[in-house]
Amino acid sequence: MRILVIGSGGREHALVWKIAQSPSLETMWCAPGNAGTERERIPQSGRTVENVAIGAEDLDGLLAFGKAHKPDLTVVGPDNPLALGIVNRFEAAGLRIWGPNQKAAQFESSKIFSQEFMERHGIPTARAASFDQAEPAKAFARELQGQCVVKADGLALGKGVLICHDPGEADRAIHAILEDRAFGEAGSRILIQELLVGREVSLHAFCDGNSYHLFPTSQDHKRALDGDRGLNTGGMGAYSPTPFLTAEELLEARRQILAPWQEGCKREGIDYRGILYPGLMITAQGPKVLEFNARFGDPETQVYLRRLETDLVEIMEASIDGCLREVSMRWSEEASTCIVIASGGYPGSYPKGKPISGVSDADQLDGIKVFHAGTRSQNGQIVSSGGRVLGVTALGDSLESALDQAYRATQKISFDGAFYRSDIGAKAIEAMS
Ligand code: AMP
Ligand code: GLY
């Protein structure tokens, strides 16, 4: 089989690494990929993965590549190409592609669409309203005593969400998104949700248009600094499983969230094939949905794919063909964790092109796999090229041993300005002891 993977982050390196193990694989391309994807080797053919210099949002370029090389399967990592309708365009050209189509991807590309869908189908979420004018928006925020979250409707590189604690803060957030267009046209409409309090966890489910397979639980760490301080980021580290979602809560999430979501999709003619990744807050009233994503989470994918024992290509094929019920997903009993090493300044501006050392030393440690995110090769040297640079993953008999090993490996890696959180999984360890 010949497979094209689209994207260039830690999630895509993890996808490339896992897909490379598929018994049916001969050739793999990654567009545009990173220094890690092009170092992966396909055991069956002995070939390395080839990076192709086409950006994940260059749909014309990707389609031209697809038509020229005819991959048997294309796998989409990030949200933007899905929102732009890459799945519809590949399918129209007779090319097999995995991911939700443009209508289905609206669960992520429009927060207002998602909110209204949840309200139509009785899915527990925050109290909310949507606006395209500042004055009524400010009035609604005052009704919530300013304890609210102001969200740009569209995609904004994961940044279009402002958390507010008083009416003044809410007014400024509304002004910034709606009037100053801080997130561009993504903010021409906004969603204001009440501020929910509780523990945040991620769910992932493979979907095939008729049924879904739920993954084990995981937890990300969104804030940049230890103790959940600092700015929101794409995610600074993750681990799986998490003790913060009990078996009963997971059952409740299936009953109250996934079942009505699936039924709602059927009733509204939404053919959802791909990953559904709901972000949940476990509140005193039970799990509530903060948002839906239409793709694999990052860094969650890095911890999940270390635990997944089943051939990923087999599951993706079943997800496209509507026969997920015929495959089972087997997960290792081991705990899995990922520590993200970021560039100094992230999630604000940061320098690029810093030479990175110690990756292969780290990779040689027991249970370790280092996934690349913002890296590229420059004359054979790996240099930084993004905010989140590497994801150091470890498997272990317990969360504690996985974390110990991951931090041991992380310490071997260095580049100018590198930083990472030193408390990934710490609250889970505390809760379990
Ligand atoms: P989103 O992109 O919608 O998931 O929002 C980004 C982050 O903002 C989430 O991961 C949460 O930490 C936080 N957040 C979003 N919505 C809410 C809410 N209604 N209440 C509290 N925190 C929220
Ligand atoms: N881990 C956060 C995200 O993928 O959106």
Side-chain angles (χ1 to χ4, degrees):
M1 242 187 137
R2 294 137 44 90
I3 297 186
L4 167 65
V5 175
I6 295 173
S8 61
R11 164 184 51 215
E12 285 77 19
H13 186 187
L15 286 167
V16 162
W17 168 81
K18 181 68 187 168
I19 290 170
Q21 297 163 29
S22 180
S24 53
L25 193 77
E26 285 161 24
T27 300
M28 182 158 34
W29 303 275
C30 190
N34 58 37
T37 56
E38 69 186 358
R39 281 170 171 73
E40 289 300 333
R41 196 171 283 281
I42 302 160
Q44 296 71 248
S45 63
R47 292 193 202 130
T48 47
V49 173
E50 190 186 330
N51 279 356
V52 181
I54 307 172
E57 288 165 40
D58 177 3
L59 266 51
D60 291 338
L62 292 167
L63 193 60
F65 182 88
K67 285 179 178 166
H69 296 272
K70 303 213 167 26
D72 300 299
L73 175 66
T74 296
V75 172
V76 189
D79 47 6
N80 275 346
L82 295 170
L84 293 168
I86 191 167
V87 171
N88 306 60
R89 290 192 60 187
F90 267 57
E91 283 178 348
L95 292 164
R96 194 166 162 82
I97 184 163
W98 175 83
N101 61 34
Q102 196 166 23
K103 184 176 179 187
Q106 280 184 100
F107 278 108
E108 179 159 11
S109 63
S110 170
K111 290 187 189 290
I112 296 174
F113 169 86
S114 262
Q115 185 75 31
E116 290 176 348
F117 180 95
M118 287 192 274
E119 288 170 8
R120 279 197 298 280
H121 299 287
I123 296 171
T125 178
R127 183 182 159 204
S130 61
F131 303 92
D132 57 10
Q133 298 293 324
E135 282 319 309
K138 289 177 182 172
F140 181 69
R142 275 192 293 278
E143 258 180 59
L144 300 172
Q145 282 81 43
Q147 306 265 322
C148 64
V149 183
V150 183
K151 304 185 174 188
D153 178 47
L155 295 178
L157 299 169
K159 290 182 181 163
V161 171
L162 300 176
I163 295 173
C164 309
H165 299 92
D166 60 60
E169 221 179 334
D171 282 1
R172 286 191 294 279
I174 292 164
H175 186 82
I177 302 184
L178 215 43
E179 291 176 328
D180 286 351
R181 291 283 202 272
F183 306 112
E185 282 312 295
S188 58
R189 294 200 299 160
I190 57 171
L191 180 74
I192 301 185
Q193 286 181 331
E194 67 176 312
L195 184 70
L196 294 176
V197 180
R199 294 182 312 266
E200 204 179 329
V201 295
S202 312
L203 292 185
H204 278 60
F206 253 111
C207 306
D208 71 354
N210 305 301
S211 62
Y212 66 87
H213 270 334
L214 198 56
F215 289 28
T217 56
S218 71
Q219 188 175 42
D220 186 12
H221 295 63
K222 293 271 170 89
R223 298 297 195 95
L225 306 174
D226 280 7
D228 292 328
R229 289 174 303 113
L231 294 171
N232 250 328
T233 70
M236 291 299 292
Y239 65 93
S240 170
T242 173
F244 295 126
L245 194 70
T246 61
E248 295 90 82
E249 284 166 332
L250 197 59
L251 205 63
E252 207 177 326
R254 275 183 186 277
R255 244 194 333 259
Q256 295 190 1
I257 297 167
L258 288 155
W261 173 82
Q262 186 165 283
E263 191 50 40
C265 283
K266 265 189 205 143
R267 265 195 261 155
E268 298 194 19
I270 299 170
D271 184 10
Y272 199 104
R273 296 166 199 240
I275 292 283
L276 183 76
Y277 154 17
L280 303 188
M281 190 72 91
I282 310 301
T283 70
Q285 293 82 43
K288 293 191 178 182
V289 178
L290 297 177
E291 60 157 4
F292 284 120
N293 299 297
R295 53 169 173 87
F296 274 110
D298 194 4
E300 289 92 328
T301 306
Q302 301 182 48
V303 296
Y304 277 139
L305 295 186
R306 292 293 314 272
R307 289 187 64 197
L308 181 64
E309 290 173 344
T310 318
D311 175 12
L312 183 58
V313 175
E314 188 191 340
I315 305 169
M316 286 175 164
E317 298 271 26
S319 159
I320 297 175
D321 293 334
C323 56
L324 265 183
R325 283 199 184 91
E326 292 167 22
V327 298
S328 60
M329 288 174 76
R330 290 182 312 279
W331 300 92
S332 145
E333 290 293 318
E334 286 169 295
S336 175
T337 187
C338 173
I339 316 296
V340 170
I341 309 183
S343 296
Y346 174 77
S349 59
Y350 49 82
K352 295 182 184 174
K354 301 290 181 193
I356 303 169
S357 64
V359 175
S360 39
D361 288 347
D363 250 334
Q364 274 157 23
L365 293 182
D366 231 22
I368 295 291
K369 172 71 192 174
V370 181
F371 290 120
H372 291 232
T375 69
R376 63 185 174 80
S377 298
Q378 189 175 283
N379 306 323
Q381 162 78 49
I382 301 168
V383 302
S384 66
S385 66
R388 292 189 291 174
V389 178
L390 297 163
V392 180
T393 69
L395 282 181
D397 293 337
S398 64
L399 178 57
E400 215 157 4
S401 66
L403 282 164
D404 281 351
Q405 189 69 342
Y407 277 116
R408 203 167 296 133
T410 300
Q411 281 157 18
K412 294 202 175 288
I413 297 174
S414 60
F415 59 92
D416 189 20
F419 79 97
Y420 54 88
R421 277 183 62 160
S422 60
D423 65 345
I424 301 302
K427 283 190 186 148
I429 301 269
E430 203 183 305
M432 289 188 291
S433 60

